[in-house]
Amino acid sequence: MTGDEQELLMRYLDGEMTREEARAFEKRLAGSKELETAAAALTQVREVVVARYERAAEEAAPELDRLWAKIEAGMDAPAAAVAPAVPFFTRVGDAIKAWFEQYRGYVAVGAVSGLAGVLIALSLVRVPSGHVVYQPSGDPEVPLEVVGGGVSGGGSVLVANVSAAEIESLEVEGGSGTTFRIPAEDGEAPTTVIWVTRDVEGPI
Amino acid sequence: MRALVTALVMLGSIASARAQTAQCTATEILASSDKKGVDPKLERFKAKLTKPPFASWDTFVQLAEQMTTVEKAKPASLKLDAGAVSLLYKDRMLASGGKARLRLGIDLDGKDGKRVVSTVVVFDSGDHVLIAGEPHKGGTYILALSCTAQ
């Protein structure tokens, strides 16, 4: 597979092609076993990462719901429940209150989005030990575990399982790296795989 | 008595020197879809290569295998079919069960000499770390690295 083809494949999988380009590339894909295999492997890698993100979002959902309910309860509270403002700041307080009344929807959405971002980021960095996030084959006996993804230009992945390999740092020039674990067999430790996806073309 | 002390000191020095080195093996594998199965030389990797994401290919050929002894804090380079790899044995720890755990810096360069991957991995003595995904010779390149503390 040429670097050009790899770039086209990335664009195709990212949905960055026009309809005509995508159709032309699909024809090319159908005619090349190698390209088809690379597409299948890349799709698997992406599914693992997407599954991880979705799982993180699902885990964060109940917490976000609770926060949202709290914000809504606060917004619906009667004005009498609000403590009277200190006289000196009355006008400023009124102005802020008026501003908040006008934009409270945006403020609440901003706060919830920020919290969601923090929760997802924390969840992605700290993967619990033995936390299987993806079973690409559909067979529960062969789970594939992602321990970190999308590391580009430097970054670290924390791995909880002591016996498995830990990636302290990972830099992929002109691309990104995704770290997987292939489950252990016969008393062996799980095998850690660093999957390299480069944005730039050219065979190694 | 003096002879005994001398012998003990010598034994200690030898043991210390051994703890400062590791025997590393780099196995280069080419994955493709040529329906030729797994190279018999790669029998020990077969279980791993038949699982996702490697299950997308049906042919795995060993391109080369090299061994080198790395000394602590001294970079060692190996010329690969796909470029070169530099190994830096950084540290040795004791893992559960008395097994040694190694901290290794790995820099993988392409044939053009440009850096592809730079990583620091901590793994048990004898375990494998695989670096994969780059296109190479019409297939996909896999580098399996393993080090055993001495």
Side-chain angles (χ1 to χ4, degrees):
Chain A
M1 186 172 66
T2 65
D4 212 25
E5 284 175 327
Q6 194 183 21
E7 199 177 326
L8 284 173
L9 182 58
M10 297 297 287
R11 282 188 57 218
Y12 174 72
L13 293 174
D14 286 340
E16 289 173 356
M17 283 183 170
T18 62
R19 191 174 290 178
E20 290 72 32
E21 281 178 324
R23 273 194 202 139
F25 187 73
E26 276 161 7
K27 277 184 194 164
R28 204 163 159 182
L29 204 61
S32 166
K33 182 74 186 161
E34 188 200 339
L35 208 55
E36 199 180 34
T37 306
L42 268 176
T43 305
Q44 278 189 342
V45 170
R46 277 157 191 260
E47 280 173 358
V48 171
V49 176
V50 168
R52 184 73 199 102
Y53 272 94
E54 284 176 350
R55 177 119 185 175
E58 275 172 27
E59 284 169 359
E63 208 156 328
L64 290 176
D65 286 344
R66 274 198 300 279
L67 182 72
W68 183 247
K70 209 172 168 181
I71 290 170
E72 277 193 329
M75 286 193 299
D76 294 341
V82 179
V86 179
F88 181 76
F89 295 109
T90 303
R91 284 203 299 182
V92 178
D94 284 348
I96 291 171
K97 200 173 162 185
W99 177 84
F100 184 76
E101 284 297 322
Q102 195 179 348
Y103 297 106
R104 66 179 178 180
Y106 298 108
V107 173
V109 168
V112 170
S113 308
L115 183 73
V118 170
L119 287 171
I120 289 171
L122 282 174
S123 171
L124 280 173
V125 174
R126 297 179 191 283
V127 180
S129 174
H131 189 67
V132 177
V133 295
Y134 180 60
Q135 292 170 359
S137 64
D139 181 357
E141 295 301 308
V142 268
L144 176 65
E145 184 182 352
V146 62
V147 293
V151 181
S152 179
S156 65
V157 178
L158 301 179
V159 181
N161 192 337
V162 177
S163 62
E166 294 172 68
I167 309 297
E168 274 193 3
S169 67
L170 174 61
E171 286 177 36
V172 177
E173 297 297 322
S176 60
T178 306
T179 313
F180 300 97
R181 241 183 242 153
I182 299 175
E185 291 223 350
D186 304 329
E188 282 184 355
T191 303
T192 297
V193 180
I194 297 170
W195 192 273
V196 176
T197 311
R198 284 215 285 171
D199 303 332
V200 288
E201 60 201 57
I204 187 172
Chain B
M1 184 65 187
R2 185 181 291 176
L4 182 65
V5 171
T6 309
L8 284 173
V9 168
M10 281 178 70
L11 275 173
S13 307
I14 291 166
S16 169
R18 284 175 68 88
Q20 303 292 310
T21 61
Q23 182 76 33
C24 295
T25 306
T27 309
E28 292 179 274
I29 302 165
L30 187 68
S32 64
S33 302
D34 298 337
K35 294 190 172 64
K36 288 181 184 165
V38 179
D39 188 334
K41 290 178 203 159
L42 299 170
E43 191 60 37
R44 65 192 186 284
F45 293 107
K46 200 170 180 179
K48 296 173 178 62
L49 296 175
T50 47
K51 285 186 182 140
F54 301 114
S56 300
W57 293 276
D58 54 33
T59 304
F60 297 92
V61 179
Q62 181 176 304
L63 296 171
E65 186 166 71
Q66 297 176 70
M67 278 196 274
T68 186
T69 301
V70 290
E71 281 183 56
K72 207 167 172 183
K74 282 187 185 171
S77 286
L78 285 174
K79 201 169 173 344
L80 302 174
D81 191 75
V85 67
S86 291
L87 306 173
L88 180 61
Y89 178 19
K90 288 171 176 266
D91 231 338
R92 181 184 196 269
M93 294 156 263
L94 203 62
S96 56
K99 212 174 177 187
R101 201 162 165 81
L102 311 174
R103 191 156 160 264
L104 193 77
I106 305 166
D107 290 331
L108 181 62
D109 298 336
K111 261 198 159 27
D112 55 4
K114 284 186 183 163
R115 180 70 27 97
V116 178
V117 177
S118 182
T119 185
V120 176
V121 185
V122 180
F123 59 109
D124 282 359
S125 174
D127 284 352
H128 284 98
V129 172
L130 308 185
I131 300 173
E134 284 284 284
H136 181 65
K137 287 186 173 174
T140 296
Y141 183 75
I142 303 167
L143 177 67
L145 280 167
S146 168
C147 288
T148 309
Q150 295 186 327

